[in-house]
Amino acid sequence: MDGSGRPHYTCPAIIDPTSPEPTTVSDSTPIALYIETAYPDVGPKVFPDTSKEAQLEFMNTAVGGIVEPIRDLIQADVPGILDPRGAEYFYRTRSALRKKPLETICPAGSDERKQAWQELKRGLDAIAKIYDRNVEGKGEYFAGTDITYADIFLASILLWARVPSDKDQDMNVDSVWEGIAKLDEGRWAKFMQKFEPLLQVH
């Protein structure tokens, strides 16, 4: 239910029929936390015991700092990768949410777009400093030497930036992701390489 008491549907969602009573959980982070709590002996942990609170704080603050600029940079291009019904729905609902037509958000060459890029770069620099504190992981992982949920969460946001765009030709890139991949001597492109095998559907 949402705040008004009406049914509210989100994706992803799971139903665990093996618990004493079937358990329904929605949204990525609650699902990950539920699985690790309900099945502590299954698979590698993405929330090692000593890092859970630090990961959640990182996701809410540091990663949260890059979500809005990426959203602003790509949102107008999202309808172009959807089917007609999805494109119409996305355009209509997001334009209403933003209170202006999507195509007027961060248009090519605008000061608004330049500012969004500056905010994104600052946010990524802040994330890089946090990763650099993990000497054991050589700055490539949030904690330790294995992928944690914080790494997956960050990767999902960067993956979102791969929406094709023709608005950054002055940077000689075809997507916001390509612009990100060039930053910090290719740091984020290298970061994403470890996730490529996980993105394959078999």
Side-chain angles (χ1 to χ4, degrees), residues 9-25:
Y9 302 95
T10 64
C11 185
I14 64 168
I15 299 176
D16 181 4
T18 66
S19 55
E21 293 185 7
T23 300
T24 302
V25 187

Side-chain angles (χ1 to χ4, degrees), residues 15-192:
I15 299 176
D16 181 4
T18 66
S19 55
E21 293 185 7
T23 300
T24 302
V25 187
S26 63
D27 205 359
S28 303
T29 302
I31 289 172
L33 290 166
Y34 171 79
I35 290 173
E36 294 225 334
T37 301
Y39 303 96
D41 300 322
V42 178
K45 283 186 172 293
V46 293
F47 283 105
D49 294 337
T50 59
S51 72
K52 183 176 77 170
E53 295 305 321
Q55 288 194 63
L56 295 175
E57 176 68 17
F58 168 75
M59 289 154 46
N60 289 331
T61 56
V63 178
I66 67 172
V67 170
E68 286 194 10
I70 289 179
R71 177 203 64 189
D72 290 347
L73 289 166
I74 71 167
Q75 199 166 44
D77 294 301
V78 172
I81 64 171
L82 302 176
D83 62 28
R85 182 181 178 187
E88 186 280 328
Y89 174 82
F90 188 92
Y91 181 89
R92 173 171 46 83
T93 57
R94 272 38 174 206
S95 293
L97 187 65
R98 303 299 298 271
K99 295 183 172 56
K100 57 182 176 179
L102 281 190
E103 65 271 18
T104 66
I105 299 172
C106 283
S110 66
D111 289 340
E112 181 185 8
R113 194 167 189 86
K114 293 175 183 176
Q115 182 178 347
W117 269 109
Q118 290 170 357
E119 291 177 4
L120 176 54
K121 291 174 182 176
R122 284 196 296 269
L124 289 170
D125 285 345
I127 291 172
K129 289 179 180 178
I130 293 171
Y131 270 70
D132 286 341
R133 295 174 192 164
N134 179 19
V135 178
E136 181 186 11
K138 300 179 180 178
E140 298 179 16
Y141 301 91
F142 177 79
T145 57
D146 293 308
I147 292 173
T148 62
Y149 190 78
D151 300 311
I152 296 169
F153 190 83
L154 175 58
S156 71
I157 302 302
L158 297 179
L159 188 64
W160 183 39
R162 292 186 178 182
V163 174
S165 174
D166 62 358
K167 295 181 175 62
D168 295 298
Q169 294 304 312
D170 55 328
M171 297 179 64
N172 196 30
V173 295
D174 294 321
S175 68
V176 172
W177 162 245
E178 286 190 18
I180 293 172
K182 290 182 176 182
L183 298 176
D184 204 357
E185 299 181 346
R187 176 177 191 145
W188 303 113
K190 182 179 178 181
F191 171 80
M192 289 297 291

